[in-house]
Amino acid sequence: MLESTIATKDIIDRYNLRNPALFNAVYDLLCSSIGSLVSAKKISDTLKSNGYKSITPDTVGNYLTYLCESFLFYKVYRYDIKGKEYLKTLNKYYVADLGLRHAHMNYRQIEVTHALENIVYLELIRRGYAVDVGKNREKEIDFVARSSNDTFYIQVAYSMVDPEKAEQELSSFRKIDDGYKKVVITMDDSPFVLMENGYRKIYAIDFLLEDNALENV
């Protein structure tokens, strides 16, 4: 499709890729996987099962590098909070332009929660935070955002109205006892900021409009 050609033609030409269809298949899969943990091997296995028999994890890894070096995607590493180390497997990729991604997908798979997560990530890096995906034992924290002065643990949830969903999001914060703020960014517009255990909630629109929203919550 046209959007795919515009977004990827220069990469295909620059790196003299001999199999544009395979490269575009990786691009398609990454577009549909924003906010999900992926690896070169997982993508390779998925595409191999879809008929791309010659693909290898090394090839996928190269393609992922090209997409990030071309500023179509950002790669976000996983950080083990308890072990205080970066993990070598399973990262997240966020698209630099959601409009381009949606157009490429013909406005299918909008996935509002993942789109909101992508928007929050882009805003965090715009504000100068260093951003990782957090691993808290068996739980995942959407973002660990660090500035020169502070650290924030952030969950992104479109809505916290459902008690089961709220428990799922807040459980990711439990057993972290370092004293840093733990914040949920949500589309629920509520005057109540404080939650259990000192966790905090920010209305997503307020977060986007106020550069110091995390510090002030």
Side-chain angles (χ1 to χ4, degrees), residues 40-98:
K41 185 178 186 307
K42 284 181 67 174
I43 293 174
S44 174
D45 290 345
T46 298
L47 292 179
K48 189 169 289 187
S49 69
N50 289 335
Y52 294 93
K53 301 301 183 184
S54 63
I55 195 167
T56 66
D58 286 343
T59 298
V60 173
N62 289 336
Y63 289 173
L64 295 176
T65 297
Y66 301 157
L67 288 165
C68 291
E69 289 180 347
S70 302
F71 301 106
L72 287 177
F73 288 88
Y74 294 97
K75 180 179 181 179
V76 187
Y77 293 91
R78 282 201 305 155
Y79 180 76
D80 186 335
I81 295 167
K82 182 177 174 59
K84 299 187 183 304
E85 63 180 355
Y86 284 95
L87 302 172
K88 296 180 179 179
T89 60
L90 295 177
N91 304 292
K92 286 189 176 185
Y93 290 83
Y94 292 100
V95 67
D97 188 325
L98 272 169

Side-chain angles (χ1 to χ4, degrees), residues 34-36 92 94 98 111-124 131-134 140-145 152-161 165-173 182-188 195 200-205 207-208 214:
I34 58 171
S36 299
K92 286 189 176 185
Y94 292 100
L98 272 169
E111 298 172 332
V112 290
T113 296
H114 286 166
L116 180 61
E117 188 177 321
N118 203 122
I119 290 168
V120 170
Y121 171 77
L122 294 177
E123 185 61 22
L124 287 170
V131 182
D132 301 308
V133 174
E140 176 193 311
I141 294 177
D142 290 332
F143 301 121
V144 181
F152 302 92
Y153 299 115
I154 300 169
Q155 288 289 91
V156 181
Y158 189 81
S159 177
M160 297 272 288
V161 172
K165 177 62 175 175
E167 169 59 24
Q168 176 186 332
E169 298 295 337
L170 297 180
S171 66
S172 294
F173 292 146
K182 301 162 185 69
V183 181
V184 180
I185 298 175
T186 175
M187 286 300 295
D188 295 332
M195 297 182 290
R200 293 161 168 85
K201 180 170 62 176
I202 301 179
Y203 179 38
I205 304 302
F207 166 76
L208 294 172
L214 294 176

